[in-house]
Amino acid sequence: MKNIKMYVLSTFIAVFAIAVLLANSVHSQAPTEAPAGFDNLTNGMISQAQFDADLLTFEERDDIAKGLGPCYNAQACSECHQNPVTGGISQITELRAGHFDGFNFINHPGGSLINDRATNAEIQERILGGNEVRTFRTSLNTLGDGFIEAIDSNTIVAISNSQPASMRGQVITVPVNEAGNALRTARFGWKNQHASLLSFSGDAYLNEIGITNRLNLTENTSNGNSIAAFDPVPDTAPSGEDPANDIDAFAEFMRATKAPPRGPITADVNAGSSLFDAVGCNICHVRTITTAPAGTIINGGAFTVPAALGNKNIHPFSDFLLHNVGTGDGIVQNGGQSTRNKLRTPPLWGMRTRDRLMHDGETVNRNEAILRHAGEASGVVSNYNTLSTTQKSQLIAFLNSL
Ligand code: HEC
Ligand code: HEC
């Protein structure tokens, strides 16, 4: 009797477990919302303790003994990625320059990035004569970037294909440094210069802080001149000035951040949200994108989308494509000469934390940022101009809720 009861019970448990498994597998096919918050909490990709440790590395101030510079921009990632929490934006801009010979953009000697600081006054970089192409670039948000990295490249190509011909965003592929420079569809930086957060971390550690690392073993010059006499820390393989491979912690931190959360939603915000779509802003500032399923191998084989990042709906308000909206800064990075006057549609999530807008930070008012769009966005701006004053302020109330 007892045995029969046990048998019935265990059969029941087994059937129940299978039902739960089935329900879960069906359920897991529907994307879920990515977690959002300016709260210094992990998105679940790693433990909170690991997240806290990675955050400290992202905030760590490097000095000369650790390899800082000799030419650099700041001492820590968080110096420029901090508002309102570590990983966000800041008012800090960078300077880029070069020359246009009538056909091609040519880098400033030593590269288009002009470092603003040096560990010795003798090697301070300055823009040299003949480099008439100049621009500032504002710091970008990195919160939620793990979800952007987890977007399947085909999804970005499909967005481009769905856009009207006159507004079709340009897809470029860029090298993934940790995958032997295998090419992947770009998505990070004002110029879409990277596709992987580890590649971006290695690039930033070298170019912002002056720390060579396993992906970038060659120190920068000063306006093209060697700085070897000012560089006490060797740049030898395997990891250069980054023996602990901090670049992995930077990438892991950014991958584990939550997406920027929405601000308060009011009736005006809802009305502005509809107007944003009605005038066509959402053609480039795409509202919702679903990330690749967990287990998808990305970044040229170097990364597998983890469960916390896979099959998530995100609301970045970007297509991650390059467009000419009449504001091009004339600089060429990883995309070739055809991208000279194009910029990636900046994600608008978290934009309520930004007071200086557009790539150069020179626009300090939402309405003026919209009116500055021309080129491919001309038709959409004409639509915006037909809105009433009330409708325009509703649209801006919506922007301020992002
Ligand atoms: C001196 C300021 C500064 C420092 C320091 C800095 N960054 Fe940045 N960061 C920027 C700017 C400016 C941009 C936009 C650059 C561009 O695209 O032209 C940017 C862009 C990025 C992006 C692209 C974000 C996106 O979604 O497109 C990532 C990722 C990033 N930085 C990571 C890092 C890491 C990691 C460090 C530390 C090793 C770092 N940054 C240090 C200023 C800085
Ligand atoms: C053709 C694509 C396209 C369309 C349409 C478009 N944008 Fe943009 N938007 C861009 C690009 C590209 C930039 C970056 C320009 C720059 O930095 O010089 C940008 C920048 C912005 C910025 C500045 C964001 C920041 O963080 O600095 C805001 C705000 C913005 N757009 C809002 C809008 C609104 C509102 C509309 C609709 C009226 C709109 N955009 C239509 C592509 C587009």
Side-chain angles (χ1 to χ4, degrees), residues 58 72-81 90 92-94 96 116-117 137-143 145 148 187-193 196-197 200-206 208-209 247 250-251 254 320 329 333 344 347 349 359:
F58 194 88
Y72 69 106
N73 284 329
Q75 286 180 273
C77 304
S78 59
E79 237 180 275
C80 304
H81 297 289
S90 76
I92 297 181
T93 55
E94 287 173 7
R96 284 191 182 265
D116 286 304
R117 306 186 202 178
R137 295 264 182 85
T138 63
S139 305
L140 286 166
N141 166 63
T142 74
L143 301 171
D145 270 3
I148 298 174
R187 61 211 53 212
F188 294 119
W190 281 106
K191 282 286 193 179
N192 255 357
Q193 58 267 38
S196 136
L197 290 171
F200 214 119
S201 297
D203 179 335
Y205 214 16
L206 174 67
E208 309 293 359
I209 307 186
I247 58 172
F250 303 149
M254 296 187 287
F320 304 101
D329 61 15
Q333 284 174 243
R344 174 194 69 163
W349 63 4
H359 68 279

Short mmCIF file of all heavy atoms in Angstrom, two decimals, residues 58 72-81 90 92-94 96 116-117 137-143 145 148 187-193 196-197 200-206 208-209 247 250-251 254 320 329 333 344 347 349 359, ligand 1:
data_model
loop_
_atom_site.label_atom_id
_atom_site.label_comp_id
_atom_site.label_asym_id
_atom_site.label_seq_id
_atom_site.Cartn_x
_atom_site.Cartn_y
_atom_site.Cartn_z
N PHE A 58 36.96 49.22 -12.63
CA PHE A 58 36.53 50.26 -13.58
C PHE A 58 36.79 51.65 -12.99
O PHE A 58 37.03 52.61 -13.71
CB PHE A 58 35.04 50.05 -13.89
CG PHE A 58 34.50 50.80 -15.08
CD1 PHE A 58 34.55 50.25 -16.36
CD2 PHE A 58 33.90 52.05 -14.93
CE1 PHE A 58 34.02 50.93 -17.46
CE2 PHE A 58 33.37 52.74 -16.03
CZ PHE A 58 33.43 52.17 -17.30
N TYR A 72 47.85 60.66 -22.31
CA TYR A 72 46.60 60.04 -21.87
C TYR A 72 45.52 61.08 -21.74
O TYR A 72 45.77 62.29 -21.97
CB TYR A 72 46.84 59.29 -20.54
CG TYR A 72 47.11 60.21 -19.35
CD1 TYR A 72 46.14 60.41 -18.37
CD2 TYR A 72 48.33 60.87 -19.21
CE1 TYR A 72 46.37 61.25 -17.29
CE2 TYR A 72 48.56 61.72 -18.13
CZ TYR A 72 47.58 61.90 -17.17
OH TYR A 72 47.81 62.74 -16.11
N ASN A 73 44.31 60.64 -21.38
CA ASN A 73 43.18 61.56 -21.19
C ASN A 73 42.69 61.62 -19.76
O ASN A 73 42.15 62.63 -19.32
CB ASN A 73 41.99 61.18 -22.09
CG ASN A 73 42.21 61.58 -23.53
OD1 ASN A 73 42.89 62.58 -23.82
ND2 ASN A 73 41.67 60.80 -24.45
N ALA A 74 42.79 60.51 -19.03
CA ALA A 74 42.28 60.47 -17.65
C ALA A 74 42.85 59.23 -16.98
O ALA A 74 43.46 58.39 -17.62
CB ALA A 74 40.76 60.42 -17.65
N GLN A 75 42.67 59.15 -15.65
CA GLN A 75 43.30 58.08 -14.88
C GLN A 75 42.41 56.87 -14.62
O GLN A 75 42.89 55.84 -14.16
CB GLN A 75 43.78 58.63 -13.53
CG GLN A 75 45.01 59.50 -13.66
CD GLN A 75 45.44 60.04 -12.31
OE1 GLN A 75 44.96 61.08 -11.86
NE2 GLN A 75 46.31 59.32 -11.64
N ALA A 76 41.12 56.98 -14.89
CA ALA A 76 40.21 55.86 -14.63
C ALA A 76 39.07 55.90 -15.64
O ALA A 76 38.68 56.97 -16.10
CB ALA A 76 39.64 55.95 -13.22
N CYS A 77 38.53 54.73 -15.96
CA CYS A 77 37.36 54.67 -16.85
C CYS A 77 36.24 55.53 -16.28
O CYS A 77 35.55 56.25 -17.00
CB CYS A 77 36.85 53.25 -17.00
SG CYS A 77 38.05 52.03 -17.58
N SER A 78 36.06 55.45 -14.95
CA SER A 78 34.91 56.13 -14.34
C SER A 78 35.07 57.64 -14.32
O SER A 78 34.11 58.34 -14.04
CB SER A 78 34.70 55.62 -12.90
OG SER A 78 35.87 55.85 -12.15
N GLU A 79 36.27 58.15 -14.63
CA GLU A 79 36.40 59.61 -14.70
C GLU A 79 35.48 60.17 -15.79
O GLU A 79 34.98 61.28 -15.68
CB GLU A 79 37.85 59.98 -15.03
CG GLU A 79 38.49 60.89 -14.01
CD GLU A 79 39.92 61.23 -14.37
OE1 GLU A 79 40.84 60.45 -14.04
OE2 GLU A 79 40.12 62.29 -14.97
N CYS A 80 35.28 59.41 -16.84
CA CYS A 80 34.45 59.87 -17.96
C CYS A 80 33.13 59.11 -18.06
O CYS A 80 32.25 59.50 -18.82
CB CYS A 80 35.20 59.72 -19.26
SG CYS A 80 36.78 60.58 -19.25
N HIS A 81 33.02 57.98 -17.36
CA HIS A 81 31.79 57.18 -17.40
C HIS A 81 31.27 57.08 -15.98
O HIS A 81 31.58 56.13 -15.25
CB HIS A 81 32.08 55.78 -17.96
CG HIS A 81 32.57 55.79 -19.38
ND1 HIS A 81 31.75 56.10 -20.44
CD2 HIS A 81 33.79 55.55 -19.91
CE1 HIS A 81 32.45 56.03 -21.56
NE2 HIS A 81 33.69 55.71 -21.28
N SER A 90 29.39 61.42 -18.98
CA SER A 90 29.96 62.57 -18.27
C SER A 90 30.04 63.71 -19.26
O SER A 90 29.82 63.53 -20.46
CB SER A 90 31.35 62.27 -17.72
OG SER A 90 32.30 62.29 -18.77
N ILE A 92 32.74 65.09 -20.05
CA ILE A 92 34.10 65.13 -20.61
C ILE A 92 34.07 64.80 -22.11
O ILE A 92 33.40 63.85 -22.53
CB ILE A 92 35.02 64.17 -19.85
CG1 ILE A 92 35.10 64.66 -18.40
CG2 ILE A 92 36.40 64.10 -20.49
CD1 ILE A 92 35.98 63.85 -17.50
N THR A 93 34.76 65.61 -22.87
CA THR A 93 34.86 65.37 -24.32
C THR A 93 36.29 64.99 -24.66
O THR A 93 37.21 65.19 -23.88
CB THR A 93 34.49 66.62 -25.13
OG1 THR A 93 35.30 67.70 -24.71
CG2 THR A 93 33.03 66.97 -25.00
N GLU A 94 36.44 64.45 -25.86
CA GLU A 94 37.77 64.15 -26.40
C GLU A 94 37.95 64.92 -27.68
O GLU A 94 36.99 65.33 -28.31
CB GLU A 94 37.87 62.67 -26.69
CG GLU A 94 37.98 61.90 -25.42
CD GLU A 94 37.90 60.42 -25.66
OE1 GLU A 94 37.89 60.00 -26.83
OE2 GLU A 94 37.84 59.72 -24.67
N ARG A 96 39.58 65.11 -31.53
CA ARG A 96 40.12 64.37 -32.69
C ARG A 96 40.43 65.34 -33.80
O ARG A 96 39.77 66.38 -33.93
CB ARG A 96 39.13 63.32 -33.19
CG ARG A 96 39.08 62.09 -32.30
CD ARG A 96 38.32 60.93 -32.92
NE ARG A 96 38.30 59.83 -31.98
CZ ARG A 96 39.17 58.81 -31.99
NH1 ARG A 96 40.11 58.72 -32.93
NH2 ARG A 96 39.09 57.86 -31.08
N ASP A 116 44.74 64.75 -24.22
CA ASP A 116 44.69 66.05 -23.55
C ASP A 116 45.70 66.19 -22.42
O ASP A 116 45.92 67.29 -21.93
CB ASP A 116 43.28 66.29 -23.00
CG ASP A 116 42.30 66.60 -24.11
OD1 ASP A 116 42.55 67.56 -24.87
OD2 ASP A 116 41.29 65.89 -24.24
N ARG A 117 46.25 65.07 -21.95
CA ARG A 117 47.19 65.14 -20.82
C ARG A 117 48.44 64.33 -21.15
O ARG A 117 48.41 63.43 -21.99
CB ARG A 117 46.58 64.56 -19.55
CG ARG A 117 45.24 65.17 -19.17
CD ARG A 117 44.79 64.62 -17.82
NE ARG A 117 43.35 64.75 -17.65
CZ ARG A 117 42.67 64.33 -16.60
NH1 ARG A 117 43.30 63.72 -15.60
NH2 ARG A 117 41.37 64.49 -16.51
N ARG A 137 34.27 64.99 -29.09
CA ARG A 137 33.35 63.84 -28.96
C ARG A 137 32.99 63.69 -27.50
O ARG A 137 33.87 63.56 -26.64
CB ARG A 137 34.03 62.55 -29.41
CG ARG A 137 34.40 62.49 -30.86
CD ARG A 137 33.31 61.78 -31.68
NE ARG A 137 33.73 61.69 -33.06
CZ ARG A 137 34.50 60.73 -33.54
NH1 ARG A 137 34.93 59.76 -32.73
NH2 ARG A 137 34.84 60.71 -34.80
N THR A 138 31.70 63.66 -27.23
CA THR A 138 31.28 63.50 -25.83
C THR A 138 31.40 62.04 -25.38
O THR A 138 31.33 61.11 -26.19
CB THR A 138 29.82 63.93 -25.63
OG1 THR A 138 28.99 63.08 -26.41
CG2 THR A 138 29.60 65.37 -26.03
N SER A 139 31.56 61.86 -24.09
CA SER A 139 31.60 60.52 -23.49
C SER A 139 30.25 59.85 -23.68
O SER A 139 29.21 60.51 -23.63
CB SER A 139 31.90 60.62 -21.99
OG SER A 139 33.08 61.34 -21.77
N LEU A 140 30.27 58.56 -23.88
CA LEU A 140 29.03 57.80 -24.08
C LEU A 140 28.71 56.96 -22.86
O LEU A 140 29.60 56.59 -22.08
CB LEU A 140 29.19 56.88 -25.29
CG LEU A 140 29.16 57.58 -26.66
CD1 LEU A 140 29.65 56.64 -27.76
CD2 LEU A 140 27.74 58.06 -26.98
N ASN A 141 27.43 56.63 -22.75
CA ASN A 141 26.97 55.74 -21.69
C ASN A 141 27.41 54.29 -22.00
O ASN A 141 27.36 53.86 -23.15
CB ASN A 141 25.43 55.81 -21.67
CG ASN A 141 24.82 54.71 -20.88
OD1 ASN A 141 25.04 54.61 -19.68
ND2 ASN A 141 24.08 53.85 -21.54
N THR A 142 27.83 53.56 -20.97
CA THR A 142 28.12 52.13 -21.18
C THR A 142 27.13 51.23 -20.43
O THR A 142 27.21 50.01 -20.54
CB THR A 142 29.57 51.76 -20.74
OG1 THR A 142 29.65 51.72 -19.32
CG2 THR A 142 30.60 52.72 -21.29
N LEU A 143 26.22 51.82 -19.66
CA LEU A 143 25.24 51.00 -18.91
C LEU A 143 24.30 50.30 -19.89
O LEU A 143 23.75 50.94 -20.78
CB LEU A 143 24.43 51.88 -17.95
CG LEU A 143 25.25 52.65 -16.91
CD1 LEU A 143 24.35 53.64 -16.17
CD2 LEU A 143 25.91 51.69 -15.92
N ASP A 145 25.29 48.11 -22.02
CA ASP A 145 26.01 47.78 -23.27
C ASP A 145 26.10 46.28 -23.54
O ASP A 145 26.27 45.88 -24.70
CB ASP A 145 27.43 48.39 -23.24
CG ASP A 145 27.47 49.79 -23.82
OD1 ASP A 145 26.39 50.32 -24.19
OD2 ASP A 145 28.57 50.36 -23.92
N ILE A 148 23.49 45.37 -25.89
CA ILE A 148 23.76 45.83 -27.26
C ILE A 148 24.74 44.87 -27.93
O ILE A 148 24.57 44.49 -29.09
CB ILE A 148 24.32 47.27 -27.23
CG1 ILE A 148 23.28 48.22 -26.63
CG2 ILE A 148 24.76 47.71 -28.62
CD1 ILE A 148 23.77 49.64 -26.43
N ARG A 187 28.73 48.37 -33.60
CA ARG A 187 27.60 48.90 -32.82
C ARG A 187 28.02 49.88 -31.72
O ARG A 187 27.16 50.52 -31.13
CB ARG A 187 26.80 47.75 -32.22
CG ARG A 187 27.66 46.92 -31.28
CD ARG A 187 27.31 45.46 -31.19
NE ARG A 187 27.25 44.77 -32.43
CZ ARG A 187 26.41 43.75 -32.65
NH1 ARG A 187 25.58 43.37 -31.71
NH2 ARG A 187 26.40 43.12 -33.80
N PHE A 188 29.32 50.01 -31.43
CA PHE A 188 29.75 50.87 -30.32
C PHE A 188 30.57 52.07 -30.80
O PHE A 188 31.36 51.94 -31.74
CB PHE A 188 30.60 50.07 -29.32
CG PHE A 188 29.83 49.00 -28.61
CD1 PHE A 188 30.19 47.66 -28.73
CD2 PHE A 188 28.74 49.31 -27.81
CE1 PHE A 188 29.48 46.66 -28.08
CE2 PHE A 188 28.03 48.32 -27.14
CZ PHE A 188 28.40 46.99 -27.28
N GLY A 189 30.41 53.19 -30.09
CA GLY A 189 31.17 54.40 -30.37
C GLY A 189 30.43 55.29 -31.35
O GLY A 189 29.54 54.85 -32.09
N TRP A 190 30.75 56.58 -31.34
CA TRP A 190 30.07 57.56 -32.23
C TRP A 190 30.23 57.19 -33.69
O TRP A 190 29.41 57.56 -34.53
CB TRP A 190 30.63 58.97 -31.99
CG TRP A 190 30.09 59.63 -30.76
CD1 TRP A 190 30.75 59.83 -29.59
CD2 TRP A 190 28.78 60.19 -30.59
NE1 TRP A 190 29.93 60.48 -28.69
CE2 TRP A 190 28.72 60.72 -29.28
CE3 TRP A 190 27.66 60.31 -31.42
CZ2 TRP A 190 27.58 61.35 -28.77
CZ3 TRP A 190 26.52 60.94 -30.91
CH2 TRP A 190 26.48 61.44 -29.60
N LYS A 191 31.32 56.51 -34.03
CA LYS A 191 31.59 56.15 -35.42
C LYS A 191 31.37 54.66 -35.66
O LYS A 191 31.83 54.14 -36.66
CB LYS A 191 33.05 56.50 -35.75
CG LYS A 191 33.28 57.97 -36.01
CD LYS A 191 32.71 58.35 -37.37
CE LYS A 191 33.19 59.71 -37.79
NZ LYS A 191 32.68 60.10 -39.11
N ASN A 192 30.73 53.98 -34.71
CA ASN A 192 30.58 52.53 -34.83
C ASN A 192 31.94 51.87 -35.00
O ASN A 192 32.13 51.00 -35.86
CB ASN A 192 29.67 52.18 -36.02
CG ASN A 192 28.28 51.74 -35.55
OD1 ASN A 192 28.02 51.65 -34.35
ND2 ASN A 192 27.41 51.47 -36.49
N GLN A 193 32.89 52.28 -34.16
CA GLN A 193 34.26 51.79 -34.38
C GLN A 193 34.52 50.42 -33.75
O GLN A 193 35.59 49.86 -33.97
CB GLN A 193 35.29 52.82 -33.90
CG GLN A 193 35.20 53.24 -32.44
CD GLN A 193 34.35 54.47 -32.20
OE1 GLN A 193 33.32 54.64 -32.84
NE2 GLN A 193 34.73 55.35 -31.28
N SER A 196 32.74 44.78 -30.09
CA SER A 196 32.92 43.97 -28.87
C SER A 196 33.32 44.86 -27.71
O SER A 196 34.14 45.78 -27.86
CB SER A 196 33.99 42.91 -29.13
OG SER A 196 34.88 42.81 -28.03
N LEU A 197 32.79 44.57 -26.52
CA LEU A 197 33.13 45.38 -25.35
C LEU A 197 34.54 45.08 -24.85
O LEU A 197 35.18 45.96 -24.26
CB LEU A 197 32.11 45.14 -24.24
CG LEU A 197 30.73 45.74 -24.54
CD1 LEU A 197 29.72 45.28 -23.50
CD2 LEU A 197 30.79 47.26 -24.61
N PHE A 200 36.69 47.18 -27.13
CA PHE A 200 36.58 48.59 -26.75
C PHE A 200 37.39 48.83 -25.48
O PHE A 200 38.07 49.86 -25.33
CB PHE A 200 35.12 49.02 -26.56
CG PHE A 200 34.87 50.46 -26.97
CD1 PHE A 200 33.97 50.77 -27.98
CD2 PHE A 200 35.53 51.51 -26.35
CE1 PHE A 200 33.75 52.09 -28.38
CE2 PHE A 200 35.31 52.84 -26.74
CZ PHE A 200 34.42 53.12 -27.75
N SER A 201 37.36 47.89 -24.54
CA SER A 201 38.09 48.05 -23.28
C SER A 201 39.59 48.13 -23.53
O SER A 201 40.28 48.97 -22.94
CB SER A 201 37.79 46.88 -22.34
OG SER A 201 36.42 46.87 -22.00
N GLY A 202 40.10 47.25 -24.39
CA GLY A 202 41.53 47.27 -24.70
C GLY A 202 41.93 48.57 -25.37
O GLY A 202 42.95 49.19 -25.04
N ASP A 203 41.10 49.02 -26.29
CA ASP A 203 41.32 50.27 -27.03
C ASP A 203 41.31 51.45 -26.04
O ASP A 203 42.21 52.31 -26.04
CB ASP A 203 40.21 50.39 -28.08
CG ASP A 203 40.26 51.65 -28.92
OD1 ASP A 203 40.82 52.65 -28.47
OD2 ASP A 203 39.70 51.63 -30.03
N ALA A 204 40.30 51.49 -25.16
CA ALA A 204 40.18 52.61 -24.22
C ALA A 204 41.31 52.60 -23.19
O ALA A 204 41.82 53.66 -22.80
CB ALA A 204 38.82 52.55 -23.50
N TYR A 205 41.72 51.39 -22.77
CA TYR A 205 42.81 51.36 -21.77
C TYR A 205 44.08 51.95 -22.36
O TYR A 205 44.79 52.70 -21.69
CB TYR A 205 43.03 49.92 -21.28
CG TYR A 205 43.44 49.83 -19.82
CD1 TYR A 205 43.27 50.91 -18.95
CD2 TYR A 205 43.98 48.66 -19.29
CE1 TYR A 205 43.63 50.82 -17.60
CE2 TYR A 205 44.35 48.57 -17.94
CZ TYR A 205 44.17 49.66 -17.11
OH TYR A 205 44.53 49.58 -15.79
N LEU A 206 44.34 51.65 -23.62
CA LEU A 206 45.51 52.23 -24.29
C LEU A 206 45.30 53.72 -24.57
O LEU A 206 46.14 54.55 -24.21
CB LEU A 206 45.80 51.50 -25.61
CG LEU A 206 46.92 52.14 -26.43
CD1 LEU A 206 48.27 51.99 -25.72
CD2 LEU A 206 47.00 51.53 -27.82
N GLU A 208 42.83 56.03 -23.73
CA GLU A 208 42.36 56.99 -22.73
C GLU A 208 43.33 57.09 -21.56
O GLU A 208 43.55 58.17 -21.02
CB GLU A 208 40.98 56.59 -22.16
CG GLU A 208 39.91 56.29 -23.19
CD GLU A 208 39.49 57.52 -23.97
OE1 GLU A 208 40.01 58.61 -23.71
OE2 GLU A 208 38.64 57.36 -24.86
N ILE A 209 43.87 55.95 -21.14
CA ILE A 209 44.65 55.93 -19.90
C ILE A 209 46.14 55.69 -20.20
O ILE A 209 47.00 55.95 -19.37
CB ILE A 209 44.04 54.88 -18.92
CG1 ILE A 209 42.53 55.18 -18.76
CG2 ILE A 209 44.74 54.92 -17.58
CD1 ILE A 209 41.79 54.35 -17.75
N ILE A 247 41.44 44.64 -18.45
CA ILE A 247 40.49 44.81 -19.57
C ILE A 247 39.35 43.80 -19.49
O ILE A 247 38.24 44.10 -19.89
CB ILE A 247 41.19 44.78 -20.95
CG1 ILE A 247 41.95 43.48 -21.17
CG2 ILE A 247 42.09 45.99 -21.13
CD1 ILE A 247 42.47 43.32 -22.62
N PHE A 250 36.88 45.23 -16.98
CA PHE A 250 36.09 46.35 -17.55
C PHE A 250 34.95 45.80 -18.41
O PHE A 250 33.80 46.22 -18.30
CB PHE A 250 36.96 47.25 -18.46
CG PHE A 250 38.17 47.85 -17.82
CD1 PHE A 250 39.32 48.10 -18.58
CD2 PHE A 250 38.19 48.19 -16.47
CE1 PHE A 250 40.45 48.67 -18.01
CE2 PHE A 250 39.33 48.76 -15.89
CZ PHE A 250 40.46 48.99 -16.66
N ALA A 251 35.31 44.84 -19.27
CA ALA A 251 34.30 44.29 -20.18
C ALA A 251 33.21 43.55 -19.38
O ALA A 251 32.01 43.71 -19.65
CB ALA A 251 34.95 43.35 -21.20
N MET A 254 30.85 46.08 -17.71
CA MET A 254 29.87 46.71 -18.62
C MET A 254 28.81 45.70 -19.07
O MET A 254 27.63 46.03 -19.18
CB MET A 254 30.59 47.32 -19.82
CG MET A 254 31.52 48.46 -19.40
SD MET A 254 32.24 49.35 -20.80
CE MET A 254 33.44 48.19 -21.43
N PHE A 320 21.83 51.51 -34.28
CA PHE A 320 23.25 51.13 -34.30
C PHE A 320 23.83 51.16 -35.71
O PHE A 320 24.75 50.41 -36.04
CB PHE A 320 23.47 49.78 -33.59
CG PHE A 320 22.94 49.84 -32.19
CD1 PHE A 320 21.71 49.28 -31.86
CD2 PHE A 320 23.62 50.54 -31.20
CE1 PHE A 320 21.18 49.41 -30.59
CE2 PHE A 320 23.10 50.68 -29.93
CZ PHE A 320 21.89 50.10 -29.62
N ASP A 329 31.53 64.82 -38.69
CA ASP A 329 32.72 65.53 -38.20
C ASP A 329 33.95 65.32 -39.06
O ASP A 329 35.02 65.82 -38.75
CB ASP A 329 32.99 65.17 -36.73
CG ASP A 329 33.28 63.69 -36.50
OD1 ASP A 329 33.56 62.97 -37.47
OD2 ASP A 329 33.25 63.28 -35.33
N GLN A 333 37.34 56.48 -38.80
CA GLN A 333 37.97 55.53 -37.87
C GLN A 333 37.99 54.15 -38.50
O GLN A 333 38.74 53.94 -39.45
CB GLN A 333 37.28 55.61 -36.50
CG GLN A 333 37.75 56.88 -35.78
CD GLN A 333 37.05 57.16 -34.48
OE1 GLN A 333 36.37 58.18 -34.36
NE2 GLN A 333 37.18 56.29 -33.49
N ARG A 344 26.96 57.20 -35.86
CA ARG A 344 26.00 56.20 -35.41
C ARG A 344 24.85 56.90 -34.72
O ARG A 344 25.05 57.85 -33.93
CB ARG A 344 26.68 55.26 -34.40
CG ARG A 344 25.72 54.27 -33.77
CD ARG A 344 26.31 53.60 -32.54
NE ARG A 344 26.46 54.51 -31.42
CZ ARG A 344 26.64 54.15 -30.15
NH1 ARG A 344 26.73 52.86 -29.84
NH2 ARG A 344 26.77 55.03 -29.19
N PRO A 347 22.12 55.92 -29.01
CA PRO A 347 20.99 55.42 -28.23
C PRO A 347 20.47 56.55 -27.34
O PRO A 347 21.26 57.28 -26.75
CB PRO A 347 21.61 54.30 -27.38
CG PRO A 347 22.90 53.94 -28.05
CD PRO A 347 23.37 55.19 -28.73
N TRP A 349 18.40 56.00 -24.78
CA TRP A 349 18.10 55.55 -23.40
C TRP A 349 19.10 56.23 -22.45
O TRP A 349 20.26 56.41 -22.78
CB TRP A 349 18.07 54.04 -23.25
CG TRP A 349 19.31 53.22 -23.50
CD1 TRP A 349 20.57 53.66 -23.80
CD2 TRP A 349 19.40 51.78 -23.49
NE1 TRP A 349 21.43 52.60 -23.96
CE2 TRP A 349 20.74 51.43 -23.77
CE3 TRP A 349 18.49 50.74 -23.25
CZ2 TRP A 349 21.19 50.11 -23.84
CZ3 TRP A 349 18.94 49.43 -23.32
CH2 TRP A 349 20.26 49.13 -23.61
N HIS A 359 27.36 64.59 -31.00
CA HIS A 359 28.69 63.99 -30.82
C HIS A 359 29.67 64.98 -30.21
O HIS A 359 30.58 64.59 -29.48
CB HIS A 359 29.21 63.47 -32.17
CG HIS A 359 29.53 64.55 -33.16
ND1 HIS A 359 28.55 65.15 -33.93
CD2 HIS A 359 30.69 65.15 -33.48
CE1 HIS A 359 29.12 66.08 -34.68
NE2 HIS A 359 30.40 66.11 -34.44
C1 HEC B 1 38.80 60.78 -20.99
C2 HEC B 1 37.49 60.22 -20.96
C3 HEC B 1 37.30 58.73 -21.10
C4 HEC B 1 37.90 57.72 -20.39
C5 HEC B 1 38.95 57.82 -19.35
C6 HEC B 1 37.30 56.50 -20.86
N1 HEC B 1 36.34 56.77 -21.81
FE1 HEC B 1 35.13 55.42 -22.71
N2 HEC B 1 34.39 56.90 -23.89
C7 HEC B 1 34.79 58.21 -23.87
C8 HEC B 1 34.31 58.89 -25.03
C9 HEC B 1 34.55 60.35 -25.37
C10 HEC B 1 33.58 57.95 -25.77
C11 HEC B 1 32.99 58.15 -27.15
C12 HEC B 1 34.18 57.97 -28.08
C13 HEC B 1 33.84 58.02 -29.54
O1 HEC B 1 33.04 57.18 -29.96
O2 HEC B 1 34.36 58.87 -30.23
C14 HEC B 1 33.65 56.70 -25.02
C15 HEC B 1 33.02 55.52 -25.40
C16 HEC B 1 33.14 54.32 -24.72
C17 HEC B 1 32.43 53.12 -25.06
C18 HEC B 1 31.38 52.96 -26.15
C19 HEC B 1 29.99 52.99 -25.53
C20 HEC B 1 28.89 52.75 -26.52
O3 HEC B 1 27.85 52.21 -26.10
O4 HEC B 1 29.02 53.08 -27.69
C21 HEC B 1 32.87 52.14 -24.22
C22 HEC B 1 32.43 50.70 -24.19
C23 HEC B 1 33.86 52.74 -23.35
N3 HEC B 1 33.98 54.07 -23.68
C24 HEC B 1 34.56 52.07 -22.36
C25 HEC B 1 35.60 52.64 -21.63
C26 HEC B 1 36.46 51.90 -20.72
C27 HEC B 1 36.39 50.42 -20.46
C28 HEC B 1 37.33 52.79 -20.19
C29 HEC B 1 38.51 52.55 -19.25
C30 HEC B 1 39.54 51.68 -19.78
C31 HEC B 1 37.01 54.09 -20.76
N4 HEC B 1 35.95 53.95 -21.62
C32 HEC B 1 37.66 55.25 -20.42
C33 HEC B 1 35.53 58.80 -22.88
C34 HEC B 1 36.34 58.12 -21.98
#
